[in-house]
Amino acid sequence: MTAPVRRESGLDRRSVLVVAALALVTLTLVVLSVGTGDYEMSPGEVLATLSGQGTKAQYLVVMGRLPRVLVAILVGAALALAGAVFQTITRNPLGSPDIIGFTTGSATGGIVALLLFGSGPGLVSVGALVGGLLTALVVMALCAPHGLLSSRLVLLGIAISAVLVGVNSYLLVKANLEAASQAVGWLVGDLSGRDWSFVVPLAVAVAVLAPVVFANGRALRMLEMGDDTATGIGVDVHRVRLTLVLVAVALVAAATAATGPLPFIALAAPQLARRMTRLPGPNLLASVFVGATLVVTADYLGQRLLESSLLPAGVVAAALGGAYLLWLLLRRRA
């Protein structure tokens, strides 16, 4: 019999096996991704170079490609954590930041920063954070009379997201050609050209924000059982909810600033983690590894699917997410 404490932390035997399998898949894809490009390298050569036994040319190639996959892992982890938080707080599988407009709000803030100040990752991060927070405030204010747990949240989020998409289009039309082209490339969700200047701020953001989510993991699971139950157990519902919403929006903003919006990752990762572990609750650790695996997979497939050109990770993620939703709908109808 598994101890309740272990179940609350998501560390039962099945969860450990799931996380280990996902980590192995992700590491395999990292090696394959690093070896992909104009200068092809075998998995053995990549591993030898990472262990310090490769040639100087191989070392330069690996160090040039490694930031891209590190950004993919960090972005997937950040989006998955944010998705787990929002889906648990709202108790709605569609209560994901890319559905309820927070990702689109971060994209709007990032576009404004790109058009006004240029493409520096720091300024784009600030713009994405401000855009995401403002969108969250608007959605929460409109939902306040009915609470975050009402079905209005998803409908309001979709409506606000649609409005923001129109705002984004207007900004692109009014921008000059060079700035608009740069913003459009960012909006697609792309990992190409990501170097250490993107890795460092994203890694710092995840290192600061992720522990806050894990520290509130037990309280987050109590919230899933209802506010009254959580309060009776001793959870400060309002403080925990506000803290986690702010942290989750910041995670979405950091991820969006690094790659542009990647659809469906925040939506699908927590649900896939729950299906894999067969446990209730947010499944934070498993969600992190599912998210990382999904983004690395999307980026690797984007580099391999077409020989003539590269597909941005956002395009592949959208295709994978659409297929997942179609499968989910067909499975529920069966």
Side-chain angles (χ1 to χ4, degrees):
M1 181 176 179
T2 306
V5 174
R6 294 181 66 191
R7 281 192 172 275
E8 286 178 2
S9 61
L11 294 178
D12 72 308
R13 182 178 299 178
R14 183 180 180 88
S15 295
V16 171
L17 292 175
V18 167
V19 168
L22 289 170
L24 181 60
V25 171
T26 302
L27 289 175
T28 302
L29 288 170
V30 165
V31 172
L32 294 174
S33 296
V34 170
T36 298
D38 294 334
Y39 182 84
E40 292 282 343
M41 295 178 64
S42 68
E45 290 173 331
V46 172
L47 292 174
T49 303
L50 290 173
S51 64
Q53 299 176 7
T55 65
K56 185 175 181 179
Q58 290 174 334
Y59 175 81
L60 292 175
V61 170
V62 169
M63 288 299 105
R65 295 173 181 172
L66 190 59
R68 177 173 181 151
V69 292
L70 292 179
V71 169
I73 291 172
L74 291 169
V75 166
L79 292 176
L81 269 183
V85 167
F86 279 116
Q87 289 179 26
T88 303
I89 286 177
T90 61
R91 285 185 244 159
N92 190 329
L94 292 178
S96 174
D98 46 357
I99 298 295
I100 58 180
F102 297 167
T103 301
T104 310
S106 294
T108 303
I111 289 174
V112 172
L114 276 171
L115 297 182
L116 293 181
F117 305 109
S119 60
L123 292 173
V124 175
S125 298
V126 173
L129 177 60
V130 172
L133 287 175
L134 288 176
T135 305
L137 288 174
V138 171
V139 172
M140 293 172 68
L142 292 174
C143 288
H146 303 272
L148 284 177
L149 303 181
S150 68
S151 59
R152 289 170 57 91
L153 175 67
V154 175
L155 295 177
L156 283 169
I158 292 173
I160 290 175
S161 180
V163 171
L164 290 174
V165 168
V167 171
N168 294 347
S169 299
Y170 175 79
L171 291 173
L172 294 176
V173 168
K174 290 297 182 180
N176 62 65
L177 183 60
E178 182 180 354
S181 176
Q182 186 179 21
V184 168
W186 180 77
L187 272 176
V188 172
D190 196 2
L191 284 155
S192 61
R194 297 307 181 259
D195 55 21
W196 295 104
S197 66
F198 288 86
V199 175
V200 174
L202 180 59
V204 170
V206 173
V208 171
L209 298 171
V212 178
V213 178
F214 281 100
N216 288 278
R218 182 179 180 276
L220 187 61
R221 185 175 181 191
M222 296 303 104
L223 287 177
E224 193 175 34
M225 297 188 295
D227 289 2
D228 293 337
T229 302
T231 301
I233 296 173
V235 177
D236 188 343
V237 172
H238 297 294
R239 180 191 63 80
V240 170
R241 179 177 287 134
L242 178 60
T243 299
L244 289 175
V245 166
L246 292 176
V247 169
V249 170
L251 284 168
V252 170
T256 304
T259 62
L262 291 179
F264 291 111
I265 302 299
L267 173 69
Q271 297 182 38
L272 289 173
R274 179 176 294 209
R275 292 177 183 278
M276 291 178 180
T277 61
R278 297 179 184 174
L279 287 176
N283 292 291
L284 297 177
L285 187 61
S287 296
V288 164
F289 279 87
V290 172
T293 303
L294 287 176
V295 178
V296 174
T297 300
D299 187 46
Y300 177 70
L301 291 177
Q303 296 178 73
R304 287 292 190 178
L305 284 176
L306 298 179
E307 294 184 1
S308 58
S309 62
L310 301 179
L311 285 175
V315 174
V316 181
L320 293 175
Y324 167 73
L325 287 179
L326 179 61
W327 171 81
L328 193 62
L329 290 171
L330 292 176
R331 186 175 182 274
R332 288 191 174 184
R333 289 184 61 185

